[in-house]
Amino acid sequence: MNRWVQTAEQRLKQIDVDVVFDSSLLDQFISDNSSTPFPLFLTTERRDRVVYALISGQVAIVSDGSPYFVTGPSTLFDFFISPEDYYLPWILGSFFRMIRIFGVIFSLLATSMYIAVTTFHYEVIPRDLLEPLIASRRNVPFPPLVEVLFLEITIEFLREAGARLPTKIGQTLGIVGGIIIGTATVHAGLTSHILVIIVAFSALASFATPIYKMSNAIRFLRFPMIVMTAIWGGVGMFIAIGFLLVHMIRLTSFGTPYTVPIYPFRARGFGDSFIRPSFQFINTRFRHLRPLSIIRFIPEPVRRKKTDFDDE
């Protein structure tokens, strides 16, 4: 029997609650660490993603009456991989995957970098951009920290309100409310034009990841990053990044390191992480999942049959 099946069965037997309402609750009961904002198991309702997890050596758990599967052990890169990456040519799949990773990094650091630059590090701003930035903040009575927190919390209010309302009303509220509030705050002198653009791009980039639980984690982590940057500037931002990296390194999913193949370093694991290589280069499964068979298939060159057009 697969090791992960035994581990999942053992942890499921240890659950002692009245009722499990949904599969999404299971990952909290069987999680290695409940004190982390990062999702340690991947929750999905897509059959193709579940099948891919099973043939890769992972285990899938489903609860009666729930459309969601819980798959694990999961790593950080699993939350940036979409099944559509494998339905497209590898060049396009790799491009879209790198866009997702860049979008999450931008969403996490954009507003913090704005605070660091406008509060502590004016010298890094190009001279051509410095004058428009000063003009944009000339009538703003608040420091950058208050300005950023005001817009970030406003965006969170719009998200939560849109999620609780009916679909059509929620979409309208998110679009119209964002435009009206953004325009009103700028004209009222509460925020700068540049910050409205940065916060809008940051909120948009947070949805780049195909797994909403990772998107929620990024939304939360922006706030401690903002506070640390407001206190110590760029140094504070790097300190926060250091704490974040140490925390991720210590995380495990079913005992598997969360940051593999970066740490512990696995050179072969990079084959299908940042980019999506051609299928002939991903013919093996990840060794850290300890599958029953490492080999997926044996790549062979395609032999094109000769046709009548070739004679001509």
Side-chain angles (χ1 to χ4, degrees), residues 19-27 29 43 62-70 212-213:
V19 60
V20 177
F21 296 99
D22 190 82
S23 298
S24 300
L25 298 176
L26 288 175
D27 61 352
F29 292 131
T43 305
V62 65
S63 176
D64 185 23
S66 174
Y68 294 98
F69 285 81
V70 177
Y212 75 95
K213 286 189 175 182

Side-chain angles (χ1 to χ4, degrees), residues 84-96 276-277 279:
E84 284 78 11
D85 296 345
Y86 302 97
Y87 303 154
L88 298 170
W90 72 270
I91 297 178
L92 296 179
S94 300
F95 172 74
F96 294 137
R276 199 230 90 180
F279 281 112

Side-chain angles (χ1 to χ4, degrees), residues 156-176:
E156 295 301 323
F157 283 157
L158 289 174
R159 282 177 171 173
E160 288 300 312
R164 302 297 181 269
L165 292 173
T167 303
K168 294 183 179 180
I169 300 177
Q171 292 177 351
T172 305
L173 175 67
I175 297 173
V176 177

Side-chain angles (χ1 to χ4, degrees), residues 135-162:
S136 178
R137 296 203 71 254
R138 182 177 301 163
N139 299 322
V140 178
F142 306 115
L145 173 63
V146 177
E147 186 185 4
V148 168
L149 288 178
F150 174 76
L151 277 183
E152 288 284 0
I153 294 174
T154 302
I155 291 293
E156 295 301 323
F157 283 157
L158 289 174
R159 282 177 171 173
E160 288 300 312

Side-chain angles (χ1 to χ4, degrees), residues 41-181:
F41 295 97
L42 195 147
T43 305
T44 181
E45 59 182 349
R46 298 190 55 164
R47 293 180 299 171
D48 50 357
R49 185 183 283 274
V50 175
V51 172
Y52 179 79
L54 291 174
I55 64 174
S56 297
Q58 296 172 293
V59 64
I61 305 171
V62 65
S63 176
D64 185 23
S66 174
Y68 294 98
F69 285 81
V70 177
T71 63
S74 301
T75 63
L76 181 64
F77 286 104
D78 290 339
F79 297 92
F80 300 100
I81 295 176
S82 174
E84 284 78 11
D85 296 345
Y86 302 97
Y87 303 154
L88 298 170
W90 72 270
I91 297 178
L92 296 179
S94 300
F95 172 74
F96 294 137
R97 185 177 298 181
M98 288 166 41
I99 287 291
R100 292 187 208 106
I101 296 175
F102 173 77
V104 169
I105 296 174
F106 177 85
S107 176
L108 182 63
L109 301 179
T111 49
S112 299
M113 293 180 63
Y114 173 84
I115 294 177
V117 168
T118 55
T119 307
F120 296 93
H121 311 292
Y122 270 109
E123 65 276 2
V124 303
I125 305 176
R127 182 168 299 181
D128 296 336
L129 184 61
L130 185 59
E131 184 176 351
L133 180 61
I134 295 175
S136 178
R137 296 203 71 254
R138 182 177 301 163
N139 299 322
V140 178
F142 306 115
L145 173 63
V146 177
E147 186 185 4
V148 168
L149 288 178
F150 174 76
L151 277 183
E152 288 284 0
I153 294 174
T154 302
I155 291 293
E156 295 301 323
F157 283 157
L158 289 174
R159 282 177 171 173
E160 288 300 312
R164 302 297 181 269
L165 292 173
T167 303
K168 294 183 179 180
I169 300 177
Q171 292 177 351
T172 305
L173 175 67
I175 297 173
V176 177
I179 295 174
I180 294 176
I181 293 177

